[in-house]
């Protein structure tokens, strides 16, 4: 959901949310690199010195949850959530627009539901001052707070996109299909070519 069909300007939601999601994705990437370094240190320590860092597996669970939560928003903006595109790309404009609108509304509802359930878990951990059942004794509100922050970003973007999709359904169904439909083969080829040419341009 990065550009209009034909290379037009970014849609309003992507224009405002894109930089936030990109920044969060970069932070998650650095987090993953740091965790990978920690795992390597743990492996070398066990193999060479018989020593082990405590809690790398626990940190791995937190890493998976938090980076996945923020990744939901990035995947949504990039239109990369799994879609069955065999039929929808062959439908006339209005039926395809209705299905794309329905998909946007459903994913917004699911995102809000997940956020509410995650918020309940976080509230419970804060109320009971819960800590992890491990040597690290991590206060659970810390990883859960980051997890809920990712879910909140995902839900906010999903709701904004659903509202925008509804507005486009009333004003311009063709643009709705361009922005909310599954990426076409031509778009995927173009993105692959851009990714291939980017390193060459920098060098």
């Amino acid at each position: 959901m990065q550009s209009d069909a034909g290379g037009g300007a970014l849609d309003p939601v992507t224009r405002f949310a894109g930089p936030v999601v990109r920044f969060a994705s970069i932070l998650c990437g650095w987090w993953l690199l740091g965790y990978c370094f920690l795992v390597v240190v743990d492996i070398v320590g066990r193999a060479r010195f018989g020593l082990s860092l405590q809690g790398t597996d626990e940190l791995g669970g937190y890493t998976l949850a938090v980076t996945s939560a923020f990744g939901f928003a990035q995947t949504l903006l990039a239109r990369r959530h799994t879609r069955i595109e065999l039929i929808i790309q062959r439908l006339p404009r209005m039926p395809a627009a209705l299905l794309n609108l329905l998909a946007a509304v459903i994913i917004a509802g699911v995102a809000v539901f997940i956020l509410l359930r995650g918020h309940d878990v976080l509230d419970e951990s804060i109320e009971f001052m819960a800590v992890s059942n491990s040597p690290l004794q991590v206060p659970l509100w810390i990883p859960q707070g980051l997890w809920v922050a990712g879910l909140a970003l995902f839900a906010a973007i999903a709701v904004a996109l659903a509202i925008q999709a509804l507005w486009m359904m009333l004003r311009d169904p063709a643009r709705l299909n361009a922005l909310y439909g599954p990426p076409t083969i031509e778009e995927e080829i173009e993105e692959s070519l851009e990714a291939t040419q980017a390193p060459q341009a920098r060098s």
Side-chain angles (χ1 to χ4, degrees), residues 1-202:
M1 198 168 299
Q2 296 178 354
S3 64
D4 295 357
L10 294 175
D11 68 275
V13 175
T14 303
R15 186 165 58 247
F16 288 104
V20 177
V21 172
R22 191 176 305 111
F23 178 72
S25 299
I26 292 172
L27 289 182
C28 288
W30 281 108
W31 182 344
L32 286 170
L33 285 175
Y35 178 69
C36 289
F37 175 78
L38 190 66
V39 171
V40 170
V41 170
D42 193 25
I43 292 173
V44 173
R46 290 183 183 185
R48 297 295 183 182
F49 307 105
L51 301 175
S52 174
L53 300 175
Q54 296 296 318
T56 53
D57 54 343
E58 179 182 353
L59 293 176
Y62 301 148
T63 297
L64 176 62
V66 174
T67 56
S68 295
F70 282 101
F72 293 156
Q74 173 65 36
T75 305
L76 181 60
L77 285 182
R79 293 189 294 166
R80 294 303 181 186
H81 283 290
T82 301
R83 301 277 295 275
I84 306 300
E85 58 188 71
L86 180 63
I87 297 177
I88 193 170
Q89 292 183 348
R90 291 171 170 78
L91 291 176
R93 184 181 64 179
M94 287 305 295
L98 285 171
L99 289 177
N100 287 321
L101 173 61
L102 180 62
V105 171
I106 289 175
I107 200 169
V110 170
V112 171
F113 175 77
I114 295 174
L115 172 62
L116 294 176
R117 297 299 299 165
H119 187 268
D120 290 342
V121 172
L122 176 61
D123 276 349
E124 186 175 304
S125 295
I126 294 174
E127 180 181 355
F128 293 102
M129 295 181 291
V131 297
S132 61
N133 185 21
S134 70
L136 294 181
Q137 293 286 287
V138 176
L140 290 179
W141 69 267
I142 298 176
Q144 289 176 356
L146 294 172
W147 172 59
V148 170
L151 295 179
L153 179 62
F154 173 50
I157 292 174
V159 170
L161 289 174
I163 294 172
Q164 179 176 259
L166 179 60
W167 182 84
M168 288 183 181
M169 184 68 196
L170 300 175
R171 300 291 298 272
D172 191 352
R175 189 163 183 256
L176 167 62
N177 290 332
L179 289 177
Y180 287 81
T184 63
I185 295 177
E186 291 77 10
E187 289 174 329
E188 293 181 354
I189 293 174
E190 183 179 352
E191 288 181 8
S192 298
L193 290 175
E194 290 177 355
T196 304
Q197 295 169 359
Q200 299 175 355
R202 287 194 294 266

